Amino acid sequence: MASTAEREMPWPQRLTAQIGRQLKYWRAQRGITARQLADRCEQLGYRVEYQVIANIEVGRRAYVGVAELLVFAAALAVPPALLLFPVGTGERVEPVPGASQGDGWDAYRLFTGELGVSVLSQRADETAIPSVQRYPDDGVLAVYRRHDRHVRDWARHAHHNPDAAAATLEALAAVRREMTAHGWVPPVLDPDVTSALSAVGQ
């Protein structure tokens, strides 16, 4: 939880302190020391000294680089956004400078594009960021999520409901054509799904 002194820090330092608490929490959940986490990072190809990890966790480091955040997340086997935002702790977070504080789950969903930026309209200065309901580029996210849903649905129906599986394959093929039409690269499919699509001429 943020201390009084921390609440008076500039926003980037508050965010770094929040990351430090999350890093310490997830390291404890995995039952490893800072030195062991440093070793895991090095095994992944990005060396981070264990003293750096310790300094981040206790708030003596003013920043965390994107590369560090990504390798910490991989080494701890957690989504990177969970190192940014405390989901489930009750801690209030400030997703952008001056935004009214919300819970970690809302901040997580804002980061992943699942929550519209209208949450930012709660700022004291209503003119600073316009109130909109969705990100202007959320179309790409919606299409890729639809693609994932069709793949999951096909896996659920493949062996028990041939009609539903066939309908799902048609929908999957359609969304992949939609991606291509937009100039987006469709995700690589598991061999089973690829074979099923080929078998129906898609």
Side-chain angles (χ1 to χ4, degrees):
M1 201 64 71
S3 66
T4 302
E6 183 182 317
R7 286 193 292 272
E8 294 173 356
M9 293 176 179
W11 178 75
Q13 288 177 260
R14 294 197 301 274
L15 181 60
T16 299
Q18 183 175 289
I19 292 169
R21 288 191 297 277
Q22 287 300 101
L23 184 61
K24 184 175 182 179
Y25 171 82
W26 284 106
R27 184 174 58 73
Q29 291 294 305
R30 300 296 183 248
I32 62 174
T33 66
R35 191 179 295 273
Q36 289 170 323
L37 177 56
D39 290 343
R40 287 188 181 187
C41 292
E42 187 167 12
Q43 290 166 3
L44 288 167
Y46 190 82
R47 184 176 176 79
V48 182
E49 297 292 342
Y50 79 93
Q51 295 98 328
V52 169
I53 294 169
N55 285 338
I56 291 170
E57 290 185 352
V58 299
R60 284 195 299 262
R61 184 104 167 309
Y63 67 93
V64 176
V66 173
E68 291 170 330
L69 184 76
L70 293 175
V71 79
F72 289 152
L76 292 167
V78 298
L82 276 182
L83 294 181
L84 280 169
F85 304 115
V87 175
T89 66
E91 182 175 346
R92 308 298 285 172
V93 299
E94 184 181 358
V96 294
S100 65
Q101 294 192 351
D103 67 18
W105 179 234
D106 280 348
Y108 184 101
R109 292 188 301 148
L110 181 65
F111 183 82
T112 61
E114 296 171 62
L115 192 66
V117 294
S118 59
V119 68
L120 302 182
S121 68
Q122 299 171 20
R123 293 176 59 136
D125 178 3
E126 290 288 339
T127 63
I129 296 180
S131 176
V132 296
Q133 293 304 309
R134 299 295 301 169
Y135 285 111
D137 62 345
D138 71 342
V140 63
L141 299 178
V143 173
Y144 276 74
R145 286 186 182 120
R146 190 159 23 107
H147 181 278
D148 284 355
R149 188 173 63 249
H150 292 323
V151 171
R152 287 193 304 270
D153 287 349
W154 177 82
R156 193 172 70 246
H157 297 307
H159 302 295
H160 308 292
N161 189 336
D163 291 339
T168 301
L169 284 176
E170 287 180 24
L172 178 60
V175 78
R176 290 176 73 83
R177 288 192 297 270
E178 181 181 350
M179 289 172 170
T180 303
H182 281 292
W184 305 330
V185 177
V188 175
L189 295 170
D190 288 338
D192 288 348
V193 186
T194 302
S195 296
L197 279 172
S198 297
V200 295
Q202 300 288 352

